[in-house]
Amino acid sequence: MSPVEVGALADLALNVAREAAALVRDRSEGVTVAATKSSDVDPVTEVDRACEELVRLRLAQARPDDAVLGEEGDDLAGTSGVRWIVDPIDGTVNFLYGLPQHAVSIAAEVTDDTGTATVVAGVVLEVPTGTEYVARPDADGVVRATCDGRPLRVRPRAPLSQRLIGTGFSYDAALRAQQGAALAALLPRVRDVRRLGSCALDLCLVARGGLDGYLEEGTRLWDHAAAGLVARAAGARFEITTGVGGRELVVCGPDDGFEELWDAVHEAGFAAAGAAPGLVGPAAKAGE
């Protein structure tokens, strides 16, 4: 697709995310759990479902031939080569408790003639503040990241001991225990650790320099599709490997100095034995 066509996808994602965020804000009082997913502490609210229904409706109205992958609904097949990856509320537990770190995340993925699927545009909209993180190509096809229209760039390289790292934990109790042990090993080696409760917003914080790195096992594509592109476009490296619990482990940080973070994550025990990076490469790939 041309940069203009991808730009139109980014515009659609942003407009839909704005409407979805307004719905979430309007229904933020008296939120209750409608169901649970992976465990008893992994909730879904009726607002999650209503938000995703709205997003699916608006995307279908604008582009009826596209596919949709959403966290709360069934996968929808398409014929256009475009797939939307939707997380209606990333940070549902925060939303349920009235904490501010939750966001609507929408990414556009395009499959080319060789069958290769690539996320080409993404929007993460922080609901309480209205802050808009967007990744989209410029006229030359290079993906750029912005926050409320201003260019984003990761923090300069710092010694590992001076890096602030974001993380998250699985809803599976056994895996939490493994992650806790690994975190205890990593903590003395870094400045400090933050657990804010939204994968998408943590990745956007890496992009804007609010964190020096982020890692989490157990994320899903809808958690990081949009935000991972934002981070890479801002100069981060984003890698996926196998975690100690056998699930997807995301590691993200500024490209300059990433290897030191990667080694520390492995040495602390977050990754499975012999695990190597593989699915997404350095920041330079975002514009190619």
Side-chain angles (χ1 to χ4, degrees), residues 4 32 34 45 113 122 165 180 202 220 233 245 249 269:
V4 172
T32 58
T45 71
D113 293 338
I165 306 299
D202 279 357
R220 303 293 296 274
L249 171 65

Side-chain angles (χ1 to χ4, degrees), residues 24-136:
V24 176
R25 281 193 293 269
D26 289 344
R27 301 191 186 184
S28 61
E29 298 295 330
V31 179
T32 58
V33 175
T36 57
K37 294 181 287 187
S38 61
S39 77
D40 290 342
V41 293
D42 185 9
V44 179
T45 71
E46 290 294 350
V47 184
D48 288 87
R49 292 173 172 174
C51 182
E52 184 163 319
E53 288 174 4
L54 173 64
V55 172
R56 287 173 178 267
L57 174 62
R58 294 293 183 256
L59 294 175
Q61 289 172 334
R63 297 184 56 91
D65 298 326
D66 292 353
V68 179
L69 170 65
E71 181 176 13
E72 309 304 344
D74 295 332
D75 296 353
L76 177 67
T79 58
S80 66
V82 174
R83 182 172 72 157
W84 298 96
I85 303 168
V86 178
D87 193 340
I89 306 178
D90 186 69
T92 295
V93 172
N94 285 345
F95 173 64
L96 182 64
Y97 278 78
L99 299 175
Q101 292 84 10
H102 54 279
V104 176
S105 176
I106 304 175
E109 177 189 77
V110 174
T111 299
D112 63 22
D113 293 338
T114 69
T116 302
T118 304
V119 175
V120 296
V123 171
V124 177
L125 201 159
E126 189 172 21
V127 173
T129 64
T131 302
E132 298 173 350
Y133 298 95
V134 180
R136 61 184 299 159

Side-chain angles (χ1 to χ4, degrees), residues 176-288:
R176 278 176 180 244
Q178 293 174 302
Q179 292 171 326
L183 184 63
L186 178 67
L187 187 56
R189 302 185 61 185
V190 299
R191 182 190 294 274
D192 209 343
V193 173
R194 295 290 182 267
R195 197 280 198 255
L196 302 176
S198 166
C199 171
L201 290 176
D202 279 357
L203 289 169
C204 289
L205 283 173
V206 173
R208 70 181 295 173
L211 289 172
D212 296 290
Y214 168 75
L215 62 107
E216 182 172 356
E217 180 176 357
T219 61
R220 303 293 296 274
L221 180 58
W222 47 72
D223 297 315
H224 57 68
L229 184 63
V230 172
R232 296 197 306 278
R237 184 167 170 179
F238 177 97
E239 297 284 0
I240 299 175
T241 189
T242 303
V244 64
R247 305 180 189 183
E248 175 183 284
L249 171 65
V250 165
V251 184
C252 182
D255 193 42
D256 186 14
F258 180 84
E259 289 78 8
E260 189 176 7
L261 173 62
W262 181 261
D263 290 344
V265 167
H266 275 255
E267 290 163 7
F270 283 99
L279 298 187
V280 183
K285 296 295 184 184
E288 296 178 359

Side-chain angles (χ1 to χ4, degrees), residues 163-182:
R163 298 188 199 182
L164 184 63
I165 306 299
T167 193
F169 302 105
S170 170
Y171 289 109
D172 178 83
L175 180 51
R176 278 176 180 244
Q178 293 174 302
Q179 292 171 326

